[in-house]
Amino acid sequence: MVYVAGVILLLAVCTTIDSKEKIGFDHILIAAFGWPIFTSIMALRALSNR
């Protein structure tokens, strides 16, 4: 539930970014949905290296 609220908040902030800043909607979607996968992979790699 917290994750979904975070994604909604991130997408709401995304709408306030000017087009001059060169941050596309695809970058924001990758940030919103990619970090749980990335952190899971990093945690598994850290545990397997022990």
Side-chain angles (χ1 to χ4, degrees):
M1 187 66 183
V2 174
Y3 173 70
V4 174
V7 170
I8 291 171
L9 180 66
L10 186 64
L11 292 175
V13 170
C14 153
T15 60
T16 64
I17 296 174
D18 294 334
S19 62
K20 296 177 186 175
E21 296 192 28
K22 305 288 184 196
I23 299 174
F25 190 66
D26 55 339
H27 293 103
I28 294 170
L29 285 178
I30 291 169
F33 294 107
W35 72 266
I37 297 168
F38 180 71
T39 54
S40 300
I41 292 170
M42 294 305 291
L44 289 173
R45 291 182 86 188
L47 288 174
S48 68
N49 288 335
R50 289 182 133 195

